[in-house]
Amino acid sequence: MQDGFERIEWERYELIPTIVQEYQTHKVLMLAYSSKQSLELTLQTHLAHYFSRSKHRIWQKGEQSGHIQRIKEIRLDCDNDSLLFIVEQVGVACHTGEKSCFFQSYLPTLGAQPTNLASQPQKLPIYHILDELYHTIEQRRGESVERSYTASLLAKGANGVGKKIIEEAGELSFALKDGQKEEIIYECADLFYHILVGLALEHISPELVLQELRRRTAQSGIDEKASRKNK
C-alpha cells in the first residue's frame, strides 16, 4: 500500500472517502474519511485511524469503546480518490450498538417506507452521549426560536447562554447542599446541556474538552494550577 499511498489524489482532496468492510463476512460496516496523517497511522499501527470532520482531529476507531478495527487489507479505487479498508472488527462498528452503520433500509424511489432493521432499540454508549447531544444542539441552530428551546438559547448569544449556565450551576449547588441524589443528577444533566449549548455557540466540540481532561490526568491538580500561573 505504500506505493498506492503516493498515487492517492492528495493535491485535489485533503480527505479521502474510506469504505470499511468486514474481513470475515464481507459486510460493509461504515463510511469514514482518511487524511494523509490518519492513513500513515493506519499503516504504521495496522489499526484503523480516520479523520473526524465533526471533531476536526484524527481518531482511532474504538479508542474509547474498545471496538477497534485491525487492518487486513487496504485497496485503492481506479480513480485514486477513495479507499477500501478490509478489517477484523472487534465488537461493533456503529455507535448505536449495531454491527454495521448501514442497518436501515430506505428505498424512496420504489415507494418503500423507511425500515429500521435493528431487532431492538439500541442504546448509545455512554461515552458518546455528550457528542451526540452536542451535534443535536448544532442542528437546532437554524430552527425557529418559537419551536426550539435550543435555538432560542443560541439566539441570545454569549450573555444569554452564560446567564443560564450560572443559573444551572447555582441550582446544582443547592441540590448538593440538600444532599438529594435524584435532584443532583437532574440538575447536573441540566448544567451539562447548557454547557454544551455554550460550546456550540463557539463551535467547540466537547471532544476538545475531553482531550484537555485527558492531558491533565498526567499531572496533579496542584501542578496543573501552577502551570496556569506561569503562563
Side-chain angles (χ1 to χ4, degrees), residues 47-198:
L47 294 174
H49 288 71
Y50 306 103
F51 188 89
S52 170
R53 296 179 299 170
S54 59
K55 299 174 184 176
H56 306 291
R57 71 170 181 91
I58 293 171
W59 60 289
Q60 178 193 303
K61 179 64 178 174
E63 63 188 10
Q64 293 177 316
S65 65
H67 297 165
I68 60 173
Q69 293 172 344
R70 297 190 180 99
I71 299 294
K72 292 293 186 178
E73 186 178 351
I74 297 178
R75 297 183 184 179
L76 181 63
D77 82 329
C78 56
D79 293 321
N80 298 326
D81 61 3
S82 62
L83 291 165
L84 173 65
F85 283 7
I86 301 175
V87 306
E88 177 190 345
Q89 175 69 54
V90 176
V92 299
C94 185
H95 71 270
T96 65
E98 288 295 321
K99 181 71 173 181
S100 166
C101 293
F102 298 98
F103 61 87
Q104 299 182 99
S105 176
Y106 188 40
L107 303 173
T109 56
L110 301 181
Q113 294 297 317
T115 304
N116 190 329
L117 300 182
S119 57
Q120 303 176 7
Q122 299 291 329
K123 293 183 179 179
L124 292 173
I126 293 299
Y127 71 83
H128 202 71
I129 292 297
L130 290 179
D131 193 56
E132 285 291 313
L133 179 55
Y134 172 80
H135 288 292
T136 299
I137 290 169
E138 282 278 22
Q139 291 167 9
R140 296 287 188 271
R141 186 182 299 275
E143 295 188 1
S144 167
V145 296
E146 287 79 18
R147 297 183 180 180
S148 168
Y149 175 69
T150 299
S152 68
L153 271 179
L154 291 169
K156 292 178 181 178
N159 286 339
V161 175
K163 287 178 182 178
K164 283 300 295 182
I165 292 174
I166 293 170
E167 177 185 327
E168 297 299 336
E171 291 179 2
L172 174 59
S173 297
F174 285 123
L176 288 167
K177 182 180 178 182
D178 294 338
Q180 298 177 359
K181 183 177 179 180
E182 290 186 3
E183 195 67 17
I184 291 169
I185 294 171
Y186 182 86
E187 296 298 345
C188 191
D190 276 355
L191 180 57
F192 278 176
Y193 161 76
H194 286 88
I195 287 173
L196 288 174
V197 173

